């Protein structure tokens, strides 16, 4: 399921990454990142990473926009989803 991505931010910084899981449906995509440890509450420090990955995906597949991003807290059995529609990625 892992998808390697590589792109550049608007200011030219290289953004390498590995998307853990990408769910693709008729209306768009849901980006899911698996995490272990942590409190399992809130996206916190991982939000910039998810936004960067969502921005890379928008450039790769504009016909399947990223509709949401999520963290699967593996230690807690919890999935936290954030709607990214209207968020500047």
């Amino acid at each position: 399921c892992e998808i390697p991505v590589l792109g550049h931010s608007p200011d030219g910084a290289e953004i390498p990454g590995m998307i853990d899981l990408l769910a693709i449906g008729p209306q768009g995509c849901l980006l899911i990142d698996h995490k272990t440890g942590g409190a399992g509450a809130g996206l916190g420090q991982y939000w910039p990473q998810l936004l960067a990955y969502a921005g890379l995906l928008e450039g790769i597949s504009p016909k399947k926009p990223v509709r949401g991003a999520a963290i699967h807290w593996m230690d807690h059995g919890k999935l936290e989803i954030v709607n990214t529609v209207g968020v500047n990625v």
Side-chain angles (χ1 to χ4, degrees), residues 1-80:
C1 292
E2 292 182 334
I3 302 167
V5 291
L6 178 63
H8 293 87
S9 69
D11 62 355
E14 188 173 84
I15 304 172
M18 187 70 69
I19 295 173
D20 291 334
L21 181 62
L22 186 63
I24 302 172
Q27 301 300 315
C29 302
L30 174 63
L31 169 66
I32 301 170
D33 198 40
H34 301 301
K35 297 291 183 198
T36 57
L43 304 183
Q45 65 186 9
Y46 301 112
W47 181 237
Q49 174 192 0
L50 293 173
L51 276 180
Y53 288 176
L56 291 175
L57 287 172
E58 291 289 334
I60 295 169
S61 181
K63 292 185 180 184
K64 292 286 186 176
V66 178
R67 299 289 185 188
I71 290 183
H72 171 218
W73 293 103
M74 297 176 66
D75 295 347
H76 304 283
K78 189 175 178 183
L79 183 67
E80 292 192 58

